[in-house]
Amino acid sequence: MDKEAPKRTETKKTVQKKTTAKKGTAAKARSGKKLSGAKKKKKARRILISIRVGLVLLAVFFVILAVIKLVKPSLLTKNYFEVASEEVDDSKPEIDVELLTVNPYSRPGTKTGKITGIVMHYTANPGATAMANRDYFEGLKDSHITKSSSNFIVGLDGEIVQCVPTWEMAYASNERNIDTVSIECCHPDESGVFFDETYQSMVKLCAWLCLKFDLSEKDIIRHYDVTEKICPKYFVEDEKAWENFREDVKKAIKKAK
């Protein structure tokens, strides 16, 4: 009887098990490689999709910025700026620029921020001309009586005098001096009612300023709306007249466009 036979049989079985185990390990390795390759492809696809989505969102962002720049450019800045366009140039009324001397009492030289409104005033000086009111402001540098001025004055005959640049603050509207343009309007008597020539120039001036600073008629306010002072008297006492004025400015803006 061959005593070595069982040993050979056991050895053979052991070899077969090892061979089978190696084959199984190799199969798992191949399977693992396949899975790893699939994962890499999925990851690559996800990255590609993310890049495409990012590019689309970036394109949409720039389109929105372009639309805002065309429709409402003032939203893109907090600093002083003016709209440059043919509409602005064509709608500009005739203005007599008679700037005040820089001084602490009527033209401090303080730079404004972004213009967000237009404030209407009346001179409360019946019968006085635009230049007479302008000269009063100029004289404050010597008299030191008070601090007062306005960016523009509209006269009894519709003339428009500019006293302070729109990028500089005038002493007219209290806490709104820094972000508004002020307009003083002359009137013939105590009622504060304006001559038609004055009224028409007020409309033209406001429409031009709205276009220049990307504003609407809703951004035009009265001194009264800032401090509750009865100014302009006519527009405070006759609310309908005030509404009609802003509506006339709205029409002038649309006509200019």
Side-chain angles (χ1 to χ4, degrees), residues 76-90:
L76 301 178
T77 182
K78 293 182 179 180
N79 302 319
Y80 179 91
F81 88 107
E82 298 178 3
V83 175
S85 70
E86 290 184 6
E87 289 83 0
V88 174
D89 293 338
D90 292 343

Side-chain angles (χ1 to χ4, degrees), residues 22-41:
K22 287 180 180 180
K23 289 180 178 178
T25 302
K28 287 180 180 179
R30 286 193 297 272
S31 176
K33 287 181 180 179
K34 289 180 180 179
L35 288 173
S36 178
K39 286 181 179 179
K40 286 181 179 179
K41 287 181 180 179

Side-chain angles (χ1 to χ4, degrees), residues 2-236:
D2 188 357
K3 292 182 180 180
E4 296 297 323
K7 290 182 179 181
R8 287 196 296 272
T9 302
E10 289 175 3
T11 300
K12 188 176 181 180
K13 288 180 178 179
T14 301
V15 171
Q16 287 176 346
K17 286 180 179 179
K18 288 182 179 180
T19 302
T20 302
K22 287 180 180 180
K23 289 180 178 178
T25 302
K28 287 180 180 179
R30 286 193 297 272
S31 176
K33 287 181 180 179
K34 289 180 180 179
L35 288 173
S36 178
K39 286 181 179 179
K40 286 181 179 179
K41 287 181 180 179
K42 286 183 179 179
K43 187 177 180 180
R45 280 199 296 270
R46 285 198 296 268
I47 292 172
L48 184 60
I49 290 170
S50 297
I51 291 172
R52 287 176 176 172
V53 171
L55 289 173
V56 169
L57 291 175
L58 190 62
V60 170
F61 174 73
F62 281 116
V63 168
I64 291 172
L65 280 182
V67 171
I68 290 174
K69 190 173 181 180
L70 288 172
V71 178
K72 195 69 176 174
S74 61
L75 292 177
L76 301 178
T77 182
K78 293 182 179 180
N79 302 319
Y80 179 91
F81 88 107
E82 298 178 3
V83 175
S85 70
E86 290 184 6
E87 289 83 0
V88 174
D89 293 338
D90 292 343
S91 64
K92 183 178 179 179
E94 184 176 342
I95 297 173
D96 181 13
V97 180
E98 300 285 348
L99 298 181
L100 305 175
T101 305
V102 176
N103 71 93
Y105 293 88
S106 55
R107 186 189 169 189
T110 305
K111 301 301 181 184
T112 59
K114 180 170 71 172
I115 300 301
T116 62
I118 301 166
V119 185
M120 305 302 295
H121 304 258
Y122 87 132
T123 62
N125 187 9
T129 65
M131 278 303 297
N133 281 283
R134 180 263 173 204
D135 291 343
Y136 167 76
F137 293 147
E138 177 70 12
L140 292 176
K141 74 180 189 299
D142 302 313
S143 68
H144 303 177
I145 296 172
T146 186
K147 291 183 177 181
S148 181
S149 59
S150 184
N151 294 100
F152 297 93
I153 306 172
V154 182
L156 296 170
D157 296 322
E159 71 275 21
I160 301 172
V161 176
Q162 183 171 14
C163 304
V164 179
T166 55
W167 54 86
E168 288 184 21
M169 186 181 79
Y171 289 130
S173 309
N174 299 72
E175 66 268 20
R176 294 301 305 275
N177 288 334
I178 199 67
D179 71 324
T180 60
V181 172
S182 54
I183 303 174
E184 287 278 0
C185 305
C186 298
H187 49 99
D189 55 45
E190 294 288 348
S191 71
V193 177
F194 307 111
F195 280 149
D196 186 61
E197 293 86 350
T198 304
Y199 184 90
Q200 294 304 322
S201 289
M202 289 161 59
V203 170
K204 290 177 183 177
L205 179 58
C206 285
W208 172 64
L209 290 171
C210 283
L211 291 168
K212 184 178 182 179
F213 295 112
D214 193 26
L215 305 174
S216 76
E217 79 284 352
K218 294 179 181 178
D219 298 307
I220 305 171
I221 61 175
R222 302 163 294 187
H223 190 184
Y224 171 79
D225 298 312
V226 181
T227 65
E228 295 189 350
K229 179 180 180 180
I230 307 303
C231 175
K233 188 173 187 289
Y234 175 46
F235 285 156
V236 173

